Amino acid sequence: MSEIPAKATESKDPLDGARTEAADDAVAHVRPGEPPSGDAMWQSSPPGSIYDYIKVASFSIGPDGLVEQWSLRAEQLFGIPAEHAVGMDPIEAFIDPDLRAQGQRKMAEILDGREWTGVVPFRVPPSAADGECGREGLAEVYVMPTRTEEGEKAAVCIVVDVRTLRSIETDLAASQAIFGQSPFGFILIDPDLRVRRVNYRFASLFGGSPDDHRGKGVHDYLPRPEAERVTATLRRVLETGDSITDMHVTGFLPGSDERRHWSINLYRVRSGSGRPIGIAWLGTDITARRAAAREAAAARRNLALLNEAGARIGNSLDLETTARELLDVVVPGFCDLATVDLYQGLLAGDETPPGLADGSAELRRVAFASAVSDAPFIGSGDPVSVGAVHHYPFNSPCADALRTARPQYIPAEEGSLVQSTLAVPMVAHDTVVGLAQFARTKGSEPFGDRDRDLAVELAARAAVCIDNARLYRREHERALILQRSLLPPGDPVASGLDIACRYLPGNSSADRPSEVGGDWFDVIELPGHRTALVVGDVMGRGLRAAVAMGELRSAVRTLALLDLEPAEVLSALDEIARGLGAPGGVQQATRQARRPREADLSEVYLATCVYAVYDSVTRRCTFANAGHLPPVLVEPGEDALMLDVPPGMPLGVGGEPFEEVEVELPEGALLALYTDGLVESRDHPLDEGLQAFVGALTDPSAPLEDVCDHVLNTLDTHHGEDDIALLMARVQGLPADSVGDWTLPREPRSVGRAREYARGQLLSWDLEPLVDTTELLVSELVTNALRYGEGDIRLRLLLDRTLVCEVWDSGLVQPRRRRARDTDEGGRGLQLVGLLSAAWGSRRTPRGKTVWFELPLPDGQNGMVDPAEALLSLF
């Protein structure tokens, strides 16, 4: 027995995982996935084998019932080294005292040659590692009878810790439960890419029992292209160990034509030693999820298209541009080809789209878009190019769509690349304005009901924008007609002034259409060879601004003919402007003027205006300004400058007086009045535009038409969306020899002197045919001044394009024309003046009044009234 411990200590139990050096080398050279070289029966188990996991221990019992050999695993399990264990009685050493008697009986049976297997509680003696109490456990023991060399009965004991066995049982049960009860398809594939095992879920889908699928390959379940792709993936997972997550696979279930979709996860399975033993395939059916995802994607796509349509369609008020915007949205996001046809009458500016009840009215193709290189033709019949006018036959789907205002599917023609077409009427406010066609080529998904509804919505949005563009075009054209009708016709003519003018509507394009503005200018001839120059701008755009401009322009003309001072004209115009936006219109202006502080500016139109009166005799010009840009003056040999005219408040604000500034203009001076559209834009500040305008007036002696063109060309970069009104006048004062001016004392004989002065002046001007008429009318006016006026009398004759006679006095009472009775000796003077003159009137002056009449210059004396006949007609 003394040799037994040494023997036990040196020996290695075969089950302890002993290795030979050659075996270790053989295993070390085995590559994952490859069988080891040499005889497989004699290959050593690699580290981490099942034996390492179970930790099997062994020891032997001699005939005397004592331990003869003690393995290393036994040392690990019981915590007793071999030198202590050999020679011990295992019953006495490890069995609880209460169970030792039963243990002795079992030992006797074992030594009697009986095999025995059972669970034995054991107790490990106390040690430094376990503390004073020691350690207890359960061991499953397998005892095999044997004999010694001398033939005596002995036993070999195989011992496993019960806890390890229970853990293995639990793991196997859990694995079996997961594998068998999983709702997902589970496949275990061996290194040869053949099915080793499948679960019941997989077998229920593909038929048969789980055993029926052993040995099958991927090609037995999937179509060839898909099977080859999956096979390549399986090899990659087996070789690299990289897992695959959510790989989508498409195939069919046995006996079904429905395409199915699965999401599979792949990972390599290894043994305890790390050797690859196969691939785990976990798959779940995602066909319904894919369908839901497609529906959701379609809904998101449709929503995105609608959002894009809202952002991109309707940015222009041009019909053709709006149609192209629709196609930019739908191609290629919704379809491969698309066209838009609009009613020809609509494009021609008709109030409503004309057409026949059968839907065969003429249309013009205004837009076409394609996402394919060789764009096929959409529809039947002859191809229609962009810009061409055509109509659809009565029995065609397109005509039916126009007639019923409902979308129509157009069947594909044989041999055509187009496989699906939708003809969608473009309906706005219950009116069909055109037809949109959407087509998909072969290889694309055909149109469905959801696509049809989306196409109707897109076409409707575009139709509303097109209808808005139509309404805008109609209003814009009417406003332009109104605006241009209110501007002075042709080239204005004025006494003592050379006039040139320009009016340019604001820049407009398909992307940035211009609305009609409220800019205007006017040249108004006043008595006494005076001229009123007016430039104004109503704030705002559109038809209402143009109408307000027309009312203000008419009011200015009316006020100017009353021969009021410039400041008085603007004050009266301010009251009128304040009534334009009120419910009562201009009639409301008087009531608002009585309470200027209570006016609501939201109900009025604000406008700026500069009003100037030029006297060609004195070459003096009086300015009044209502919030407008200052006039620009260029004197001969001098640089241009902006006149310092107090700007005042815009018309319509009310409550503030206007100031006047009088400026003497030298002969040849250039005066420029303008609106802010000439000098202001979004890209350039006002000061920069004003300086550019002043700098452009470098050659005032050039012809006025050339000066206007030079200014507009120079300031082209400053011209924005606003209208431009430019009025330029060069001073040409009335020559001194064209003026006759006399002061008469307040006495009866001044009447005769006035006739003598008039006769002599007319004869010096070679106007003998006008002498008699002029003498008669001068006599009447001077007589009235003596009878009804005050102070000295002033007679002035002016010769220009007409002959003007003015009689001035200090009286404030204005002459009033009345009809004399047959028995009256007087009262016919003003009737005679009105009968013999081309025009007559009176106006107030700072120191009284002026009564004037005007005679046309003789041209063969045609049209002249004989004074004698005129006198006889009064009686």
Side-chain angles (χ1 to χ4, degrees):
M1 296 296 291
S2 61
E3 296 179 358
I4 293 178
K7 183 179 180 181
T9 303
E10 295 173 358
S11 65
K12 300 278 187 179
D13 192 291
L15 297 179
D16 286 339
R19 307 288 189 271
T20 65
E21 185 175 351
D24 290 339
D25 291 340
V27 174
H29 290 84
V30 176
R31 295 182 179 179
E34 296 182 359
S37 61
D39 191 346
M41 294 183 62
W42 294 99
Q43 293 298 320
S44 301
S45 298
S49 68
I50 187 66
Y51 302 106
D52 286 333
Y53 183 74
I54 298 177
K55 299 185 183 304
V56 177
S58 64
F59 62 91
S60 64
I61 301 174
D64 55 1
L66 301 179
V67 175
E68 286 189 346
Q69 291 183 330
W70 192 258
S71 69
L72 294 177
R73 285 286 175 83
E75 290 184 6
Q76 297 171 2
L77 177 62
F78 296 104
I80 300 176
E83 58 267 23
H84 295 157
V86 174
M88 290 192 316
D89 184 348
I91 303 300
E92 295 291 336
F94 303 110
I95 304 301
D96 187 88
D98 296 337
L99 300 176
R100 286 176 183 173
Q102 183 179 358
Q104 293 293 345
R105 288 194 298 271
K106 289 294 182 182
M107 178 62 71
E109 294 176 1
I110 292 171
L111 293 176
D112 193 33
R114 296 179 58 183
E115 290 188 5
W116 180 81
T117 301
V119 176
V120 178
F122 68 88
R123 180 174 54 87
V124 178
S127 65
D130 298 328
E132 298 298 331
C133 61
R135 179 167 54 87
E136 295 182 355
L138 285 177
E140 185 166 312
V141 181
Y142 175 51
V143 181
M144 296 176 292
T146 185
R147 290 182 181 274
T148 64
E149 294 179 359
E150 293 80 9
E152 294 179 306
K153 293 181 179 180
V156 175
C157 297
I158 307 297
V159 182
V160 179
D161 192 340
V162 171
R163 292 173 299 180
T164 302
L165 293 177
R166 296 297 182 265
S167 176
I168 293 174
E169 291 175 355
T170 302
D171 291 345
L172 290 175
S175 175
Q176 183 63 31
I178 294 174
F179 191 83
Q181 301 172 17
S182 173
F184 308 110
F186 191 89
I187 313 174
L188 184 60
I189 300 176
D190 64 18
D192 295 330
L193 303 187
R194 292 291 175 179
V195 174
R196 174 69 61 85
R197 184 179 180 185
V198 302
N199 67 347
Y200 287 100
R201 174 61 178 172
F202 182 87
S204 67
L205 292 175
F206 286 89
S209 66
D211 292 338
D212 295 334
H213 294 274
R214 291 182 183 272
K216 290 186 177 181
V218 177
H219 288 78
D220 295 318
Y221 303 101
L222 298 176
R224 182 180 182 84
E226 191 77 338
E228 292 177 353
R229 181 176 71 92
V230 173
T231 299
T233 303
L234 291 173
R235 287 198 180 98
R236 187 169 65 252
V237 171
L238 189 63
E239 292 174 359
T240 66
D242 296 336
S243 301
I244 299 295
T245 303
D246 196 25
M247 175 182 177
H248 288 191
V249 177
T250 302
F252 300 89
L253 293 177
S256 173
D257 294 333
E258 180 185 2
R259 185 182 296 273
R260 309 293 294 183
H261 301 273
W262 294 278
S263 171
I264 64 172
N265 298 315
L266 304 174
Y267 60 92
R268 187 170 68 181
V269 179
R270 296 174 297 177
S271 66
S273 63
R275 178 172 55 89
I277 61 174
I279 303 170
W281 170 313
L282 182 65
T284 180
D285 193 322
I286 60 170
T287 304
R289 191 176 77 187
R290 282 283 296 266
R294 285 197 302 270
E295 290 293 319
R300 288 193 299 270
R301 181 199 65 186
N302 294 352
L303 181 60
L305 279 175
L306 290 176
N307 289 337
E308 185 180 5
R312 297 181 60 180
I313 300 176
N315 294 320
S316 168
L317 287 175
D318 179 78
L319 278 71
E320 292 85 350
T321 301
T322 302
R324 289 193 294 269
E325 289 171 346
L326 169 63
L327 301 194
D328 290 341
V329 171
V330 300
V331 177
F334 176 70
C335 60
D336 301 317
L337 303 166
T339 63
V340 173
D341 299 324
L342 298 180
Y343 277 112
Q344 174 65 8
L346 180 86
L347 296 169
D350 293 342
E351 182 69 18
T352 56
L356 303 178
D358 60 2
S360 62
E362 287 188 338
L363 299 103
R364 184 194 303 173
R365 179 147 298 175
V366 296
F368 170 79
S370 172
V372 295
S373 55
D374 298 329
F377 170 65
I378 299 179
S380 58
D382 297 331
V384 179
S385 59
V386 175
V389 177
H390 65 102
H391 71 277
Y392 292 106
F394 170 79
N395 59 350
S396 65
C398 292
D400 188 51
L402 291 170
R403 181 170 54 251
T404 63
R406 296 178 180 176
Q408 299 290 329
Y409 289 100
I410 300 179
E413 293 186 351
E414 185 177 356
S416 174
L417 291 177
V418 177
Q419 74 158 351
S420 183
T421 305
L422 269 175
V424 183
M426 305 179 70
V427 183
H429 310 300
D430 297 327
T431 300
V432 179
V433 299
L435 182 75
Q437 294 187 69
F438 309 104
R440 290 178 179 173
T441 57
K442 291 185 177 179
S444 301
E445 186 177 353
F447 289 114
D449 292 341
R450 183 190 296 274
D451 297 321
R452 180 198 60 198
D453 296 340
L454 177 61
V456 171
E457 177 66 22
L458 291 172
R461 292 196 179 196
V464 170
C465 295
I466 288 174
D467 195 52
N468 290 340
R470 176 181 67 87
L471 296 175
Y472 165 79
R473 185 192 318 202
R474 183 186 67 187
E475 180 179 345
H476 188 262
E477 290 176 352
R478 292 177 179 178
L480 279 178
I481 294 173
L482 172 63
Q483 186 181 40
R484 289 167 179 167
S485 68
L486 295 174
L487 295 174
D491 296 327
V493 178
S495 177
L497 292 175
D498 184 12
I499 301 290
C501 55
R502 294 287 187 275
Y503 178 81
L504 299 177
N507 283 341
S508 62
S509 63
D511 297 329
R512 292 176 60 186
S514 171
E515 286 191 283
V516 173
D519 294 18
W520 91 92
F521 67 91
D522 210 345
V523 178
I524 307 169
E525 290 193 89
L526 302 177
H529 290 297
R530 294 173 304 125
T531 304
L533 305 175
V534 189
V535 170
D537 183 4
V538 176
M539 299 180 186
R541 312 284 297 171
L543 183 60
R544 296 184 62 191
V547 171
M549 177 269 285
E551 295 190 36
L552 290 178
R553 177 181 179 273
S554 300
V556 170
R557 279 192 158 267
T558 301
L559 295 171
L561 294 178
L562 295 177
D563 219 344
L564 302 176
E565 296 297 323
E568 294 177 331
V569 171
L570 292 186
S571 295
L573 199 62
D574 176 60
E575 297 179 1
I576 294 174
R578 295 174 63 215
L580 290 181
V586 177
Q587 298 176 359
Q588 188 79 355
T590 304
R591 291 193 295 273
Q592 289 184 347
R594 297 194 187 106
R595 44 184 174 85
R597 298 298 181 184
E598 301 176 6
D600 184 1
L601 295 182
S602 65
E603 296 183 353
V604 301
Y605 272 97
L606 298 181
T608 62
C609 179
V610 60
Y611 184 87
V613 175
Y614 171 71
D615 190 331
S616 63
V617 179
T618 63
R619 291 202 305 272
R620 301 190 70 83
C621 189
T622 304
F623 296 90
N625 192 355
H628 203 78
L629 295 173
V632 174
L633 177 65
V634 188
E635 297 185 2
E638 301 291 340
D639 294 333
L641 56 88
M642 288 182 286
L643 294 178
D644 187 13
V645 179
M649 299 298 291
L651 301 175
V653 175
E656 296 294 333
F658 297 96
E659 300 182 39
E660 292 182 354
V661 173
E662 188 175 66
V663 179
E664 184 173 354
L665 305 179
E667 186 74 17
L670 184 64
L671 181 65
L673 306 179
Y674 53 96
T675 57
D676 57 0
L678 179 67
V679 295
E680 186 177 23
S681 72
R682 295 180 178 179
D683 301 328
H684 303 276
L686 179 60
D687 291 343
E688 181 181 333
L690 288 172
Q691 293 301 323
F693 177 44
V694 171
L697 298 173
T698 56
D699 187 11
S701 62
L704 277 186
E705 297 294 333
D706 296 342
V707 174
C708 289
D709 293 338
H710 174 71
V711 167
L712 294 177
N713 292 333
T714 303
L715 270 69
D716 180 66
T717 56
H718 298 274
H719 179 205
E721 294 183 354
D722 203 359
D723 298 348
I724 289 179
L726 174 63
L727 178 61
M728 306 192 76
R730 178 177 288 118
V731 174
Q732 296 175 345
L734 203 61
D737 57 3
S738 296
V739 180
D741 196 347
W742 304 272
T743 300
L744 302 172
R746 192 169 189 78
E747 55 187 28
R749 60 181 181 177
S750 293
V751 177
R753 290 182 181 179
R755 289 198 297 267
E756 293 175 3
Y757 292 150
R759 172 182 287 273
Q761 189 65 65
L762 292 181
L763 292 177
S764 68
W765 288 339
D766 294 329
L767 295 177
E768 184 177 355
L770 300 181
V771 170
D772 293 341
T773 303
T774 304
E775 281 188 334
L776 176 60
L777 299 184
V778 165
S779 177
E780 291 294 336
L781 294 186
V782 173
T783 299
N784 282 346
L786 287 173
R787 181 175 301 175
Y788 304 109
E790 299 176 3
D792 292 340
I793 300 171
R794 181 182 176 188
L795 172 65
R796 190 168 74 168
L797 295 179
L798 307 175
L799 177 62
D800 192 22
R801 292 178 291 109
T802 62
L803 175 66
V804 176
C805 175
E806 299 175 331
V807 176
W808 304 29
D809 69 77
S810 301
L812 299 178
V813 179
Q814 296 291 325
R816 181 172 60 87
R817 182 176 177 178
R818 65 184 180 86
R819 180 174 296 279
R821 292 174 295 184
D822 294 343
T823 57
D824 291 343
E825 294 181 0
R828 296 179 177 86
L830 292 182
Q831 293 186 39
L832 187 63
V833 172
L835 184 62
L836 293 178
S837 65
W840 78 279
S842 66
R843 67 177 185 274
R844 291 180 298 171
T845 64
R847 292 177 295 274
K849 67 177 181 295
T850 299
V851 183
W852 58 272
F853 67 84
E854 182 177 341
L855 294 177
L857 299 181
D859 183 12
Q861 299 186 15
N862 292 333
M864 295 185 62
V865 180
D866 187 0
E869 295 180 358
L871 286 172
L872 291 176
S873 67
L874 298 178
F875 296 95

Short mmCIF file of all heavy atoms in Angstrom, two decimals, residues 324-353:
data_model
loop_
_atom_site.label_atom_id
_atom_site.label_comp_id
_atom_site.label_asym_id
_atom_site.label_seq_id
_atom_site.Cartn_x
_atom_site.Cartn_y
_atom_site.Cartn_z
N ARG A 324 -45.84 73.73 -65.86
CA ARG A 324 -44.52 73.10 -65.79
C ARG A 324 -44.14 72.80 -64.33
O ARG A 324 -43.46 71.79 -64.06
CB ARG A 324 -43.47 74.00 -66.44
CG ARG A 324 -43.59 74.07 -67.96
CD ARG A 324 -42.37 74.72 -68.56
NE ARG A 324 -42.26 76.11 -68.18
CZ ARG A 324 -42.77 77.13 -68.84
NH1 ARG A 324 -43.45 76.89 -69.96
NH2 ARG A 324 -42.62 78.36 -68.44
N GLU A 325 -44.56 73.63 -63.42
CA GLU A 325 -44.29 73.36 -62.00
C GLU A 325 -44.96 72.06 -61.55
O GLU A 325 -44.39 71.31 -60.75
CB GLU A 325 -44.76 74.53 -61.15
CG GLU A 325 -43.90 75.79 -61.31
CD GLU A 325 -44.51 77.00 -60.61
OE1 GLU A 325 -45.70 76.94 -60.25
OE2 GLU A 325 -43.81 78.00 -60.45
N LEU A 326 -46.15 71.79 -62.04
CA LEU A 326 -46.82 70.54 -61.71
C LEU A 326 -46.00 69.35 -62.18
O LEU A 326 -45.79 68.37 -61.44
CB LEU A 326 -48.22 70.50 -62.33
CG LEU A 326 -48.95 69.15 -62.29
CD1 LEU A 326 -49.21 68.72 -60.85
CD2 LEU A 326 -50.25 69.22 -63.08
N LEU A 327 -45.50 69.41 -63.41
CA LEU A 327 -44.73 68.29 -63.95
C LEU A 327 -43.39 68.14 -63.24
O LEU A 327 -42.88 67.03 -63.09
CB LEU A 327 -44.52 68.48 -65.45
CG LEU A 327 -45.80 68.58 -66.30
CD1 LEU A 327 -45.47 68.42 -67.77
CD2 LEU A 327 -46.82 67.54 -65.88
N ASP A 328 -42.81 69.24 -62.80
CA ASP A 328 -41.56 69.15 -62.04
C ASP A 328 -41.75 68.38 -60.74
O ASP A 328 -40.82 67.75 -60.23
CB ASP A 328 -41.02 70.55 -61.73
CG ASP A 328 -40.51 71.26 -62.98
OD1 ASP A 328 -40.25 70.56 -63.98
OD2 ASP A 328 -40.42 72.50 -62.97
N VAL A 329 -42.96 68.43 -60.20
CA VAL A 329 -43.24 67.72 -58.95
C VAL A 329 -43.49 66.24 -59.19
O VAL A 329 -43.00 65.38 -58.43
CB VAL A 329 -44.46 68.37 -58.24
CG1 VAL A 329 -44.90 67.52 -57.06
CG2 VAL A 329 -44.11 69.77 -57.77
N VAL A 330 -44.23 65.89 -60.23
CA VAL A 330 -44.68 64.50 -60.40
C VAL A 330 -43.67 63.63 -61.15
O VAL A 330 -43.73 62.40 -61.03
CB VAL A 330 -46.04 64.46 -61.13
CG1 VAL A 330 -47.09 65.20 -60.33
CG2 VAL A 330 -45.93 65.03 -62.54
N VAL A 331 -42.77 64.23 -61.91
CA VAL A 331 -41.78 63.45 -62.67
C VAL A 331 -40.41 63.67 -62.05
O VAL A 331 -39.96 64.81 -61.95
CB VAL A 331 -41.77 63.86 -64.16
CG1 VAL A 331 -40.69 63.10 -64.92
CG2 VAL A 331 -43.13 63.63 -64.79
N PRO A 332 -39.71 62.61 -61.61
CA PRO A 332 -40.07 61.19 -61.66
C PRO A 332 -40.64 60.65 -60.37
O PRO A 332 -40.74 59.44 -60.21
CB PRO A 332 -38.70 60.54 -61.93
CG PRO A 332 -37.76 61.40 -61.13
CD PRO A 332 -38.31 62.81 -61.20
N GLY A 333 -40.98 61.50 -59.40
CA GLY A 333 -41.42 61.00 -58.11
C GLY A 333 -42.72 60.24 -58.15
O GLY A 333 -42.94 59.34 -57.33
N PHE A 334 -43.59 60.54 -59.10
CA PHE A 334 -44.91 59.90 -59.16
C PHE A 334 -45.10 59.10 -60.44
O PHE A 334 -45.77 58.08 -60.45
CB PHE A 334 -45.98 60.97 -59.02
CG PHE A 334 -47.39 60.45 -59.15
CD1 PHE A 334 -47.94 59.66 -58.16
CD2 PHE A 334 -48.16 60.75 -60.26
CE1 PHE A 334 -49.23 59.18 -58.27
CE2 PHE A 334 -49.45 60.29 -60.38
CZ PHE A 334 -50.00 59.49 -59.38
N CYS A 335 -44.55 59.58 -61.52
CA CYS A 335 -44.73 58.90 -62.80
C CYS A 335 -43.48 59.13 -63.65
O CYS A 335 -42.58 59.89 -63.29
CB CYS A 335 -45.98 59.42 -63.52
SG CYS A 335 -45.93 61.20 -63.87
N ASP A 336 -43.45 58.45 -64.80
CA ASP A 336 -42.31 58.56 -65.70
C ASP A 336 -42.52 59.60 -66.79
O ASP A 336 -41.56 60.18 -67.30
CB ASP A 336 -42.01 57.20 -66.34
CG ASP A 336 -41.72 56.13 -65.30
OD1 ASP A 336 -40.97 56.44 -64.34
OD2 ASP A 336 -42.23 55.01 -65.42
N LEU A 337 -43.75 59.82 -67.17
CA LEU A 337 -44.10 60.78 -68.23
C LEU A 337 -45.33 61.56 -67.79
O LEU A 337 -46.19 61.02 -67.07
CB LEU A 337 -44.41 60.06 -69.55
CG LEU A 337 -43.33 59.15 -70.15
CD1 LEU A 337 -43.94 58.28 -71.24
CD2 LEU A 337 -42.20 59.97 -70.70
N ALA A 338 -45.43 62.81 -68.24
CA ALA A 338 -46.61 63.60 -67.91
C ALA A 338 -46.76 64.73 -68.91
O ALA A 338 -45.78 65.24 -69.47
CB ALA A 338 -46.51 64.18 -66.49
N THR A 339 -48.02 65.11 -69.16
CA THR A 339 -48.33 66.24 -70.04
C THR A 339 -49.44 67.06 -69.40
O THR A 339 -50.20 66.56 -68.57
CB THR A 339 -48.80 65.77 -71.44
OG1 THR A 339 -50.01 65.02 -71.30
CG2 THR A 339 -47.75 64.91 -72.11
N VAL A 340 -49.52 68.32 -69.80
CA VAL A 340 -50.60 69.20 -69.37
C VAL A 340 -51.15 69.91 -70.60
O VAL A 340 -50.40 70.51 -71.37
CB VAL A 340 -50.12 70.23 -68.33
CG1 VAL A 340 -51.23 71.24 -68.04
CG2 VAL A 340 -49.68 69.53 -67.05
N ASP A 341 -52.46 69.80 -70.79
CA ASP A 341 -53.17 70.52 -71.85
C ASP A 341 -54.14 71.51 -71.20
O ASP A 341 -54.88 71.13 -70.28
CB ASP A 341 -53.96 69.55 -72.74
CG ASP A 341 -53.06 68.55 -73.43
OD1 ASP A 341 -51.94 68.94 -73.80
OD2 ASP A 341 -53.47 67.39 -73.61
N LEU A 342 -54.15 72.73 -71.67
CA LEU A 342 -55.08 73.74 -71.18
C LEU A 342 -55.97 74.20 -72.32
O LEU A 342 -55.57 74.19 -73.49
CB LEU A 342 -54.31 74.95 -70.60
CG LEU A 342 -53.41 74.67 -69.40
CD1 LEU A 342 -52.73 75.96 -68.95
CD2 LEU A 342 -54.19 74.06 -68.25
N TYR A 343 -57.16 74.61 -71.96
CA TYR A 343 -58.09 75.10 -72.97
C TYR A 343 -57.48 76.29 -73.71
O TYR A 343 -56.96 77.22 -73.09
CB TYR A 343 -59.41 75.50 -72.34
CG TYR A 343 -60.37 74.35 -72.12
CD1 TYR A 343 -60.69 73.93 -70.84
CD2 TYR A 343 -60.94 73.68 -73.20
CE1 TYR A 343 -61.57 72.87 -70.63
CE2 TYR A 343 -61.81 72.63 -73.00
CZ TYR A 343 -62.12 72.23 -71.71
OH TYR A 343 -62.98 71.18 -71.52
N GLN A 344 -57.57 76.25 -75.02
CA GLN A 344 -57.03 77.34 -75.83
C GLN A 344 -57.74 78.66 -75.51
O GLN A 344 -57.11 79.71 -75.46
CB GLN A 344 -57.17 76.99 -77.32
CG GLN A 344 -56.78 78.11 -78.27
CD GLN A 344 -55.31 78.45 -78.19
OE1 GLN A 344 -54.54 77.75 -77.54
NE2 GLN A 344 -54.90 79.52 -78.85
N GLY A 345 -59.05 78.58 -75.28
CA GLY A 345 -59.77 79.81 -74.94
C GLY A 345 -59.31 80.41 -73.64
O GLY A 345 -59.26 81.63 -73.47
N LEU A 346 -58.94 79.56 -72.71
CA LEU A 346 -58.42 80.04 -71.43
C LEU A 346 -57.13 80.81 -71.64
O LEU A 346 -56.90 81.87 -71.07
CB LEU A 346 -58.20 78.86 -70.50
CG LEU A 346 -57.66 79.18 -69.11
CD1 LEU A 346 -58.80 79.52 -68.18
CD2 LEU A 346 -56.87 78.02 -68.55
N LEU A 347 -56.25 80.27 -72.48
CA LEU A 347 -54.98 80.93 -72.74
C LEU A 347 -55.16 82.21 -73.54
O LEU A 347 -54.32 83.10 -73.49
CB LEU A 347 -54.05 79.97 -73.49
CG LEU A 347 -53.66 78.70 -72.70
CD1 LEU A 347 -52.98 77.71 -73.62
CD2 LEU A 347 -52.75 79.07 -71.55
N ALA A 348 -56.26 82.27 -74.29
CA ALA A 348 -56.52 83.47 -75.08
C ALA A 348 -57.13 84.59 -74.25
O ALA A 348 -57.34 85.69 -74.75
CB ALA A 348 -57.44 83.14 -76.26
N GLY A 349 -57.46 84.31 -73.00
CA GLY A 349 -57.98 85.35 -72.12
C GLY A 349 -59.47 85.40 -72.02
O GLY A 349 -60.02 86.40 -71.53
N ASP A 350 -60.17 84.35 -72.45
CA ASP A 350 -61.62 84.35 -72.33
C ASP A 350 -62.03 84.28 -70.87
O ASP A 350 -61.30 83.77 -70.01
CB ASP A 350 -62.22 83.16 -73.09
CG ASP A 350 -62.02 83.31 -74.60
OD1 ASP A 350 -61.75 84.44 -75.04
OD2 ASP A 350 -62.12 82.29 -75.30
N GLU A 351 -63.23 84.77 -70.57
CA GLU A 351 -63.73 84.77 -69.20
C GLU A 351 -63.88 83.36 -68.66
O GLU A 351 -63.48 83.04 -67.56
CB GLU A 351 -65.07 85.51 -69.15
CG GLU A 351 -65.67 85.62 -67.76
CD GLU A 351 -64.87 86.55 -66.87
OE1 GLU A 351 -64.07 87.34 -67.40
OE2 GLU A 351 -65.03 86.46 -65.65
N THR A 352 -64.47 82.47 -69.44
CA THR A 352 -64.61 81.06 -69.04
C THR A 352 -64.09 80.21 -70.18
O THR A 352 -64.18 80.59 -71.35
CB THR A 352 -66.08 80.71 -68.76
OG1 THR A 352 -66.87 81.02 -69.91
CG2 THR A 352 -66.60 81.50 -67.57
N PRO A 353 -63.54 79.04 -69.88
CA PRO A 353 -63.02 78.19 -70.96
C PRO A 353 -64.12 77.77 -71.91
O PRO A 353 -65.09 77.14 -71.50
CB PRO A 353 -62.45 76.98 -70.20
CG PRO A 353 -62.24 77.47 -68.80
CD PRO A 353 -63.32 78.49 -68.57
#
